[in-house]
């Protein structure tokens, strides 16, 4: 299947990163969010990241302009009528995602693939709200998208071989490595990563150590590029909490209970880097 025109839903850190990588590899991208302002902000952030690439002499000004011209901010789902594929990267909430997929099913052309960048939610359940579950798939990019090589590709119960092949081919066109995983809560990445982050937050909650020292232990002792508390702030504490809730509900096992401190920070609006405050303060 020839994918040329794509829509990315959600212009936050993941959606903007996915749009940047798609446009850099020649795809036309609608970057869609709830308002024109949010979508424009997402595109402006991509412009800033591309400026840094120009400064590092990896691309030139003409490349930057060419990439930005391929990204069209959108707040009208009517634009989905033109696309070959959608990659949804809105908030990690099942009701929000189901609502988006229902609307996409009504609006996108019959051949269009509907992918979700969900971190943990069941693909099969999202697919079930559409009349094309065989064309629904998980395409899970890692943060920061322009840097990280992995894409987890998750087949729902009814995902077709053709949809899987087209999605894996797109990942490869974007210079990513696709790894196929089955549709279980948290897939592979977050089933392993998120309990570690949650446990790191428990060590802070129980007064075993400070955020700085927990990070130092994991950076110097385990060679992690970022400590788990910094990584939680980087991912977004809301996203971390929603993933833990999905693991807890999905497996029914208390070993996945979210740390109360994580809940409290999210309730306070301390969402990490994106809100200016999490376990650390950001400008
Ligand atoms: N967007 C784009 N590029 C970015 C970036 C961003 N937000 N942040 C950093 N980079 C780039 C920099 O431009 C730099 O590029 P070059 O080396 O090509 O010049 C490179 O990344 C390294 O950046 P820095 O030197 O500034 O900083 P660093 O060496 O500390 O690396 C990092 C930054 C790549 C983010 C590194 O700290 C890292 O790998 N951290 C762990 C990231 C990780 O675990 N991601 C997975 C999160 S979990 C997930 O995504 C799944 C989920 O569902 C929650
Ligand atoms: P974010 O909070 O940075 O951005 C979410 C964006 O979605 C916001 O701009 C918001 O306005 C928009 N949005 C919310 N509801 C919408 C709707 N109905 N229609 C259109 N846009 C809507 O979140 P993020 O970190 O980019 O995460 C997005 C998705 O990607 C989540 O499902 C998350 O689990 C997943 N994910 C996150 C990471 C990470 O490290 N943050 C990594 C991989 C996957």
């Amino acid at each position: 299947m020839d994918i040329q025109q794509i829509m990315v839903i959600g212009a936050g850190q993941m959606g903007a990163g996915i749009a940047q990588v798609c446009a850099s590899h020649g795809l036309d991208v609608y970057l869609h969010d709830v308002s024109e302002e949010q979508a424009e902000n997402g595109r402006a952030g991509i412009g800033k990241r591309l400026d840094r690439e120009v400064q590092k002499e990896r691309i030139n000004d003409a490349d930057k302009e060419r990439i930005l011209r391929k990204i069209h901010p959108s707040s009208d789902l009517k634009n989905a009528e033109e696309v070959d594929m959608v990659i949804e990267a809105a908030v990690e909430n099942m009701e929000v995602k189901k609502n988006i997929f229902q609307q996409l099913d009504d609006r996108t052309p019959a051949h269009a693939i509907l992918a979700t960048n969900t971190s943990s939610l069941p693909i099969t359940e999202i697919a079930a709200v559409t009349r094309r579950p065989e064309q629904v798939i998980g395409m899970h990019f890692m943060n920061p998208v322009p840097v990280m090589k992995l894409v987890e590709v998750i087949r729902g119960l009814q995902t077709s071989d053709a949809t899987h092949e087209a999605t894996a081919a797109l990942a490869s066109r974007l210079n990513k490595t696709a790894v196929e995983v089955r549709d279980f809560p948290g897939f592979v990445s977050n089933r392993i990563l998120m309990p570690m982050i949650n446990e790191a937050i428990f060590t802070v909650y129980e007064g075993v150590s400070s955020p700085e020292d927990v990070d130092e232990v994991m950076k110097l002792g385990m060679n992690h590029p970022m400590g788990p508390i910094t990584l939680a702030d980087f991912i977004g504490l809301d996203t971390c909490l929603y993933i833990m809730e999905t693991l807890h509900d999905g497996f029914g096992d208390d070993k996945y209970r979210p740390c109360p401190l994580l809940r409290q920070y999210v309730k306070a609006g301390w969402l990490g880097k994106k809100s200016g405050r999490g376990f650390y303060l950001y400008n």
Side-chain angles (χ1 to χ4, degrees):
M1 181 181 166
D2 187 26
I3 296 171
Q4 285 308 330
Q5 177 77 56
I6 207 158
M7 174 177 269
V8 177
I9 297 199
Q13 54 180 342
M14 292 307 289
I18 295 166
Q20 178 184 334
V21 170
C22 287
S24 302
H25 288 84
L27 292 158
D28 283 298
V29 186
Y30 281 114
L31 182 55
H32 180 90
D33 210 300
V34 288
S35 71
E36 204 64 27
E37 191 190 353
Q38 303 262 69
E40 291 282 358
N41 283 347
R43 187 172 180 274
I46 295 170
K48 284 191 191 141
R49 280 198 293 280
L50 292 175
D51 281 339
R52 285 203 285 275
E53 292 296 294
V54 173
Q55 280 160 18
K56 290 176 189 166
E57 298 185 354
R58 295 217 179 98
I59 60 172
N60 59 34
D61 278 316
D63 296 327
K64 177 192 145 186
E65 292 310 322
R66 180 180 46 76
I67 295 166
L68 282 178
R69 267 199 308 277
K70 287 199 157 287
I71 301 173
H72 314 286
S74 155
S75 58
D76 187 349
L77 262 194
K78 194 168 166 31
N79 293 322
E81 288 170 8
E82 296 169 23
V83 305
D84 305 307
M85 182 164 183
V86 178
I87 304 175
E88 172 276 322
V91 64
E92 187 74 350
N93 175 288
M94 182 54 96
E95 291 318 306
V96 172
K97 291 196 192 294
K98 281 185 175 172
N99 185 280
I100 290 172
F101 273 72
Q102 262 164 351
Q103 293 186 59
L104 289 173
D105 194 29
D106 290 339
R107 291 196 178 256
T108 50
H111 72 274
I113 292 176
L114 308 182
T116 171
N117 182 52
T118 177
S119 294
S120 58
L121 296 165
I123 308 304
T124 305
E125 192 177 337
I126 296 172
V129 303
T130 73
R131 294 177 298 267
R132 59 178 104 181
E134 65 288 348
Q135 285 163 239
V136 176
I137 194 159
M139 191 175 190
H140 184 209
F141 291 83
M142 302 294 130
N143 187 12
V145 181
V147 179
M148 308 303 273
K149 290 292 286 182
L150 176 70
V151 174
E152 271 185 316
V153 176
I154 308 108
R155 298 179 72 145
L157 199 59
Q158 302 182 69
T159 308
S160 69
D161 290 343
T163 299
H164 175 252
E165 276 158 28
T167 306
L170 176 65
S172 154
R173 178 173 170 189
L174 301 179
N175 201 19
K176 304 290 183 198
T177 301
V179 174
E180 187 186 337
V181 306
R182 289 180 59 203
D183 190 17
F184 269 75
F187 318 126
V188 170
S189 54
N190 283 316
R191 183 168 175 177
I192 298 172
L193 174 71
M194 211 43 75
M196 182 197 70
I197 287 179
N198 193 47
E199 205 57 33
I201 297 171
F202 263 112
T203 61
V204 174
Y205 177 61
E206 291 167 6
V208 179
S209 201
S210 65
E212 290 81 0
D213 284 347
V214 171
D215 279 345
E216 203 73 337
V217 166
M218 298 305 282
K219 275 196 300 179
L220 301 185
M222 283 78 190
N223 256 2
H224 289 196
M226 264 177 182
I229 304 287
T230 301
L231 184 54
D233 271 1
F234 180 64
I235 290 167
L237 299 184
D238 50 344
T239 302
C240 293
L241 175 61
Y242 304 147
I243 295 169
M244 284 312 296
E245 286 176 339
T246 301
L247 293 171
H248 196 200
D249 292 348
F251 291 114
D253 187 333
D254 273 351
K255 78 177 176 184
Y256 299 112
R257 79 231 172 279
C259 179
L261 190 61
L262 175 61
R263 278 194 194 287
Q264 192 181 36
Y265 276 28
V266 172
K267 282 198 177 122
W270 295 359
L271 306 183
K273 199 170 175 188
K274 66 182 169 188
S275 75
R277 178 166 194 168
F279 287 92
Y280 298 101
L281 283 172
Y282 302 87
N283 290 329

